[in-house]
Amino acid sequence: MAGFDEQIVREYFELQGFMVRQWRKYQTPARKKLPEEEIDLVVYNPRCEKGGRAPGFVLFSSELRYVGKAIVAVRGWHTTQHFTPRMIETSSEIVKFIEQDVMKSAETFFGEEDGGEPGESLFKILVLPGLPTTEPHKSDSIKLLRARGVDAVISFRTMLSDIISRVEVNRNYSKSDLLQILRIL
């Protein structure tokens, strides 16, 4: 199911005008992951508004114009009923995409010759089903994720709402299974 979650995220960023690259489309469970395999997607916004304000920690579609380049980790735990601060404290899997060797691979990918600009910060985005809705769990989760190095969180609800609002019922989306299914529904 991870592939479908990544497809939703990929489609969302592409609809927002980002160029998207998926580092690896396959997994080999018999060996340890390479650093770059911890990153699910690498995104680049050629229309980034430079010098604008910094986007908020909880991202919405309107704030993506301030994100130039980013690495994205997709954690689609839709079967987990509640995302809690305890999950962040106990699971190293959640923030594995921002470890030092992973970041080094990402920075190499965004070198000057690949369209990145020197000095432009690499944003680290975590995609989750959602943050806790009640306090203090929500603010505690945000504090823990920030302390671990995550720059922003975006929810599947935000992405799906935006994708659905952009789907036109009279258009054929033959190159996108996701958009075609949403159009039919």
Side-chain angles (χ1 to χ4, degrees), residues 35 40 73 82:
D40 294 315
H82 299 289

mmCIF file of all heavy atoms in Angstrom, residues 35 40 73 82:
data_model
loop_
_atom_site.group_PDB
_atom_site.id
_atom_site.type_symbol
_atom_site.label_atom_id
_atom_site.label_comp_id
_atom_site.label_asym_id
_atom_site.label_seq_id
_atom_site.Cartn_x
_atom_site.Cartn_y
_atom_site.Cartn_z
ATOM 1 N N PRO A 35 21.139 4.952 2.073
ATOM 2 C CA PRO A 35 20.645 6.219 2.637
ATOM 3 C C PRO A 35 19.578 6.895 1.775
ATOM 4 O O PRO A 35 18.575 7.356 2.273
ATOM 5 C CB PRO A 35 21.903 7.079 2.725
ATOM 6 C CG PRO A 35 23.021 6.116 2.823
ATOM 7 C CD PRO A 35 22.598 4.909 2.034
ATOM 8 N N ASP A 40 11.344 9.161 0.192
ATOM 9 C CA ASP A 40 10.323 8.649 -0.711
ATOM 10 C C ASP A 40 10.235 9.480 -1.984
ATOM 11 O O ASP A 40 10.151 8.934 -3.082
ATOM 12 C CB ASP A 40 8.960 8.606 -0.010
ATOM 13 C CG ASP A 40 8.960 7.591 1.125
ATOM 14 O OD1 ASP A 40 9.459 6.475 0.918
ATOM 15 O OD2 ASP A 40 8.476 7.926 2.221
ATOM 16 N N ALA A 73 9.051 12.375 3.043
ATOM 17 C CA ALA A 73 8.882 11.024 3.563
ATOM 18 C C ALA A 73 7.390 10.798 3.766
ATOM 19 O O ALA A 73 6.708 11.622 4.371
ATOM 20 C CB ALA A 73 9.632 10.843 4.871
ATOM 21 N N HIS A 82 -4.672 6.655 16.121
ATOM 22 C CA HIS A 82 -4.227 7.958 16.607
ATOM 23 C C HIS A 82 -2.714 8.078 16.490
ATOM 24 O O HIS A 82 -1.979 7.204 16.911
ATOM 25 C CB HIS A 82 -4.618 8.157 18.076
ATOM 26 C CG HIS A 82 -6.091 8.113 18.302
ATOM 27 N ND1 HIS A 82 -6.931 9.114 17.895
ATOM 28 C CD2 HIS A 82 -6.876 7.180 18.888
ATOM 29 C CE1 HIS A 82 -8.174 8.810 18.225
ATOM 30 N NE2 HIS A 82 -8.165 7.638 18.823
#
